Amino acid sequence: MAALLLAGTTLIGSPAAAAAAPVTIAYAQRTQTWQLVLTNGDVVEVPEALAKAPKNAVTPGERAPFLVSGDGKHFFYFRKSDGLFVERTLNGKERVVSRRLTAYTIYEEWPAVSDDGSYVVTTTSAPGVGIFADLRKGKVLPPPGHTDAWSFMGFSSDGKRLLLAEDERLTVFDRGLRARTRLKTRLAPTALANDYVTAAVPVGTWLKSRKLRLVNLRTGRASGTVTVQLPRGQYIDDLDFDKAGRVIVRSKTGTGVAFYRVSAATGKATLLRTIARPDAEVWVLPGDSPYEAWTERKGRA
């Protein structure tokens, strides 16, 4: 199937093809340029998206992040014309996320996007946080407490809350960066449920974890550790909650990625779906962070 060209403000192709285009993105892939693969199988080229950091960047030649929101409706990239990080929908105009976030900082600053595509947070190599951009309001907010010493742990699955850590303190913030819940703990959760209280914590060596536990961010009470019953050779590569508050695990397989619903009580893993890896150098699923375990054909050294 021939690729459509995404440029300017609308899809360029036949009127029938544009009218039939679905509203969601199945995944993005990079061959010579970045492309969107839609849920109906159409391929849409994004010629304005940088593939690699430019020569004047901190890390020239490194892969340029390309993100798709968890709902599959928004995509984000560093554009070639000026290196700014922008947001798009399939039939929408580019919106600059923040003029402080440029291609110069690729691989020194990592953007994370809420599931609804309306909020962007960056973490940095400092370590710490960079920007908090609320795209609905068109505002870039200063870090809470005017310090960048926070570690960003993740969004709630509805995108209305942000989980940040500072030393041994976890704080749940709303989108205006007002603190809602605080807890002192040594646990490091990476996912927040829509009750804004329940968080999931991977247990074990990073990228080799098969265990998790839950923690109540209001009381500090943690569940026992459970082993997720994944197939041999698979691990917890990404941990999240669905809208109903059930734990979701994504795990790299030999042919792509598998999605599981996991019982936090027993560790039983129910396979929801699998996605086969396309024949592309890099691919990105909705909800991915910039550098997931499955994004490149070969793992980074």
Side-chain angles (χ1 to χ4, degrees), residues 204-226:
T205 305
W206 183 65
L207 291 184
K208 293 291 184 180
S209 173
R210 293 171 61 90
K211 299 179 180 181
L212 63 83
R213 62 194 309 194
L214 301 184
V215 59
N216 185 305
L217 298 178
R218 185 172 293 131
T219 66
R221 182 175 297 176
S223 70
T225 299
V226 298

Side-chain angles (χ1 to χ4, degrees), residues 157-201:
S157 51
D158 63 6
K160 294 181 179 180
R161 294 291 187 272
L162 300 81
L163 181 62
L164 279 75
E166 185 183 22
D167 294 327
E168 294 183 359
R169 180 181 56 164
L170 291 171
T171 306
V172 176
F173 292 94
D174 63 19
R175 294 167 62 98
L177 300 184
R178 293 176 289 266
R180 298 296 185 176
T181 306
R182 291 188 175 96
L183 176 68
K184 187 174 182 180
T185 177
R186 294 184 178 181
L187 296 175
T190 60
L192 179 64
N194 280 348
D195 63 4
Y196 314 138
V197 173
T198 307
V201 185

Side-chain angles (χ1 to χ4, degrees), residues 6 21 24 26 37 45 51 53 60 69 113 149 167 169-171 218 229 236-237 240 244 253-255 260 268:
L6 190 60
T24 59
V37 178
E45 294 184 353
S69 60
V113 176
D167 294 327
R169 180 181 56 164
L170 291 171
T171 306
R218 185 172 293 131
Q229 298 168 21
I236 300 172
D237 292 310
D240 206 347
T253 70
T255 57
Y260 300 90
K268 179 181 178 182

Side-chain angles (χ1 to χ4, degrees), residues 19-272:
V23 296
T24 59
I25 301 163
Y27 57 87
Q29 63 184 12
R30 196 190 77 193
T31 52
Q32 296 299 316
T33 60
W34 281 103
Q35 298 174 326
L36 303 173
V37 178
L38 307 184
T39 49
N40 69 347
D42 284 349
V43 178
V44 179
E45 294 184 353
V46 189
E48 294 304 311
L50 275 173
K52 296 183 179 181
K55 293 180 180 179
N56 66 342
V58 176
T59 53
E62 285 287 353
R63 171 187 154 192
F66 189 108
L67 300 179
V68 179
S69 60
D71 62 10
K73 297 179 181 179
H74 306 259
F75 56 102
F76 299 75
Y77 56 89
F78 289 93
R79 64 186 178 192
K80 294 177 181 178
S81 60
D82 56 11
L84 291 176
F85 192 63
V86 298
E87 177 268 346
R88 291 286 304 273
T89 58
L90 287 175
N91 292 290
K93 297 179 180 179
E94 290 179 337
R95 289 195 298 172
V96 174
V97 172
S98 169
R99 292 192 173 275
R100 291 168 45 196
L101 183 56
T102 72
Y104 177 79
T105 66
I106 287 174
Y107 222 68
E108 291 291 320
E109 193 163 7
W110 297 273
V113 176
S114 63
D115 190 74
D116 64 359
S118 66
Y119 208 103
V120 175
V121 178
T122 62
T123 58
T124 72
S125 60
V129 292
I131 67 165
F132 294 84
D134 188 336
L135 299 182
R136 284 182 179 172
K137 296 185 176 181
K139 293 183 177 179
V140 176
L141 304 174
H146 298 278
T147 174
D148 64 358
W150 297 96
S151 297
F152 177 68
M153 312 304 288
F155 293 99
S156 59
S157 51
D158 63 6
K160 294 181 179 180
R161 294 291 187 272
L162 300 81
L163 181 62
L164 279 75
E166 185 183 22
D167 294 327
E168 294 183 359
R169 180 181 56 164
L170 291 171
T171 306
V172 176
F173 292 94
D174 63 19
R175 294 167 62 98
L177 300 184
R178 293 176 289 266
R180 298 296 185 176
T181 306
R182 291 188 175 96
L183 176 68
K184 187 174 182 180
T185 177
R186 294 184 178 181
L187 296 175
T190 60
L192 179 64
N194 280 348
D195 63 4
Y196 314 138
V197 173
T198 307
V201 185
V203 177
T205 305
W206 183 65
L207 291 184
K208 293 291 184 180
S209 173
R210 293 171 61 90
K211 299 179 180 181
L212 63 83
R213 62 194 309 194
L214 301 184
V215 59
N216 185 305
L217 298 178
R218 185 172 293 131
T219 66
R221 182 175 297 176
S223 70
T225 299
V226 298
T227 299
V228 180
Q229 298 168 21
L230 296 171
R232 183 186 298 273
Q234 288 183 221
Y235 302 94
I236 300 172
D237 292 310
D238 192 79
L239 192 58
D240 206 347
F241 289 93
D242 64 13
K243 297 294 191 292
R246 296 169 297 196
V247 177
I248 303 297
V249 164
R250 290 193 288 178
S251 180
K252 183 179 180 181
T253 70
T255 57
V257 179
F259 294 72
Y260 300 90
R261 183 175 61 245
V262 175
S263 167
T266 66
K268 179 181 178 182
T270 302
L271 180 65
L272 299 177

